[in-house]
Amino acid sequence: MGPLIPNGVIPYEWDNIIAILIGIAFGFVLEASGFSSSRKLAGVFYGYDFAVLKVFFTAALVAVIGVYYMDYLGFLDINQLYVHPTYLWGAIIGGIIMGVGFVAGGFCPGTSLCAVAIGKIDAIVYVGGIMVGIFIFSELYPLFQPIYEGYFYGNVTLEDSLGINPYWFVFIFSIIAIVAFVISDMVQKRVKKIFY
Amino acid sequence: MKKELKQKSKHIYWNPYYGGFLLGILILFTFYLTGRGLGASGAMKSSVVSIIESVAPTHAEESSYYSKFITEDESPMKNWLVFETLGVLIGAFISGGLSGRIGWRIQHSPKITSKRRLVFAVIGGVLFGLGAQIARGCTSGAALSGMAVLSTGGFITMLAIFGSAYATAYFFRKNWI
């Protein structure tokens, strides 16, 4: 039963080799989907290209449906998976700052790495910026510590926080995503085409 | 004729639903194997920590943030996310190479200069790096991998990223449209 490495089905020594292989697949899919182009990524915020919306939400849905289905079939124990912790104000404030960074720089960290790999100089500069941002955070850590460590709710899921049935949530989330895809195509038809 | 074809193929990307489906399967597979999701900014944090550790070791040990990631016998670069990120660079290089997209260039709208593009790229990077530390993860580690297991924090971070990007897009429109 999965997860395989934590349960010793695959020896721990394979962990880093698997990391590289998973990374190769991740980089390949992102680049092939056009995520090495900042102008394509930024399109989602101006309505001329919704690839980010479509790739991101399709991926999230396929993953969450797969996780719950494999748990249901007994291949994977959902309780053993790492749930990203909820630090309420850290998530909100950090997310807001990242959003401004996204639209200003046209990349997020994963996509900027793909662009670095194919020689985009703007992406190399962007990655340098990320490292400066991390440096600033680390040096001013006492200033950020209250929101970094405070308002902690544990490694909770929406099931814990909102008390909703995860299966129903995933079903409704899928419908919202399909509606969003249809609307995004309608918007894209009306918006002036941008060639890049 | 051959050159024309080559020029055209530069911008042919996968269907976004196909790319999204494969990415979703990959996240599922990653959880199935390792019990964790994907990440991207983590490796950059490890790089910063190891640079500071080698340039100013006492400062790194005294700092309450760097010291979280420093252990006695192992380098902060010996980390799952660092290996995964090396893979990302290789994978993107293979994909770009197969499609003829590799080359040194600064990509920007014809309406702005390369210099302006680079200045905004630095500003965007600094903000994203800072925000990713505050939120303990970026679009990959917090939002996407978080959403895959219905993490509350992952959903909040995703909404905050897209909400603030849409809210501020107007001010950056000259760079893109």
Side-chain angles (χ1 to χ4, degrees):
Chain A
M1 183 144 128
L4 299 181
I5 294 174
N7 288 340
V9 181
I10 295 177
Y12 181 73
E13 286 70 27
W14 285 88
D15 203 32
N16 290 333
I17 296 162
I18 286 169
I20 293 182
L21 297 176
I22 286 172
I24 290 174
F26 188 28
F28 194 102
V29 172
L30 287 180
E31 209 287 328
S33 303
F35 282 16
S36 57
S37 163
S38 59
R39 296 198 70 200
K40 188 175 180 72
L41 293 165
V44 71
F45 303 121
Y46 299 98
Y48 64 82
D49 190 324
F50 282 99
V52 168
L53 180 91
K54 291 170 181 171
V55 172
F56 189 81
F57 284 100
T58 308
L61 278 172
V62 168
V64 74
I65 292 169
V67 164
Y68 274 89
Y69 207 67
M70 284 179 80
D71 178 67
Y72 173 74
L73 294 175
F75 291 127
L76 180 65
D77 181 5
I78 211 165
N79 298 314
Q80 286 187 43
L81 301 184
Y82 174 76
V83 175
H84 177 75
T86 302
Y87 292 83
L88 183 63
W89 284 102
I92 295 173
I93 295 168
I96 289 172
I97 296 172
M98 281 191 270
V100 180
F102 201 162
V103 75
F107 288 117
C108 62
T111 54
S112 70
L113 288 169
C114 295
V116 167
I118 63 162
K120 295 259 170 82
I121 294 161
D122 44 330
I124 296 172
V125 168
Y126 184 86
V127 172
I130 292 179
M131 293 175 67
V132 172
I134 295 170
F135 177 71
I136 292 171
F137 175 86
S138 310
E139 293 302 324
L140 300 178
Y141 180 65
L143 192 71
F144 294 109
Q145 198 170 12
I147 51 166
Y148 182 78
E149 287 182 343
Y151 310 99
F152 181 49
Y153 290 81
N155 297 54
V156 289
T157 64
L158 290 173
E159 190 184 356
D160 309 318
S161 329
L162 303 177
I164 46 176
N165 179 322
Y167 301 103
W168 276 108
F169 179 80
V170 171
F171 179 70
I172 294 164
F173 185 36
S174 309
I175 291 176
I176 292 171
I178 292 167
V179 171
F181 295 155
V182 173
I183 293 174
S184 71
D185 282 339
M186 281 157 49
V187 171
Q188 198 171 335
K189 270 186 200 139
R190 285 163 187 258
V191 171
K192 201 180 87 185
K193 297 271 174 298
I194 301 270
F195 295 98
Y196 49 87
Chain B
M1 184 64 199
K2 212 179 168 192
K3 206 179 174 191
E4 227 171 78
L5 271 176
K6 231 183 174 179
Q7 281 289 320
K8 263 188 181 167
S9 73
K10 271 189 179 175
H11 286 303
I12 295 178
Y13 296 119
W14 282 356
N15 177 309
Y17 300 117
Y18 177 65
F21 175 76
L22 288 185
L23 185 55
I25 294 290
L26 179 69
I27 296 166
L28 175 62
F29 187 65
T30 308
F31 270 106
Y32 181 58
L33 286 180
T34 68
R36 291 174 152 263
L38 299 166
S41 58
M44 299 174 194
K45 178 179 74 189
S46 300
S47 310
V48 172
V49 172
S50 74
I51 290 169
I52 301 298
E53 196 193 7
S54 50
V55 174
T58 41
H59 175 64
E61 272 167 41
E62 280 164 12
S63 151
S64 43
Y65 193 64
Y66 298 124
S67 58
K68 286 180 200 280
F69 310 105
I70 299 173
T71 47
E72 278 286 302
D73 42 352
E74 275 191 353
S75 155
M77 296 305 275
K78 200 182 171 225
N79 176 302
W80 198 90
L81 286 172
V82 174
F83 288 104
E84 185 232 53
T85 301
L86 288 176
V88 170
L89 292 170
I90 299 167
F93 185 77
I94 296 171
S95 167
L98 292 175
S99 314
R101 283 192 285 263
I102 292 178
W104 299 110
R105 61 183 286 223
I106 301 170
Q107 189 189 23
H108 60 84
S109 158
K111 290 177 189 166
I112 61 168
T113 61
S114 296
K115 196 181 152 196
R116 185 183 159 105
R117 167 69 187 129
L118 293 180
V119 169
F120 276 89
V122 173
I123 296 170
V126 170
L127 289 172
F128 218 115
L130 181 64
Q133 294 315 297
I134 296 174
R136 297 172 182 253
C138 61
T139 14
S140 315
L144 195 53
S145 301
M147 284 163 76
V149 288
L150 298 184
S151 151
T152 307
F155 272 88
I156 294 171
T157 303
M158 181 273 292
L159 289 173
I161 292 175
F162 282 97
S164 102
Y166 274 106
T168 53
Y170 179 82
F171 305 105
F172 297 98
R173 66 192 184 285
K174 242 186 104 178
N175 291 353
W176 306 107
I177 53 174

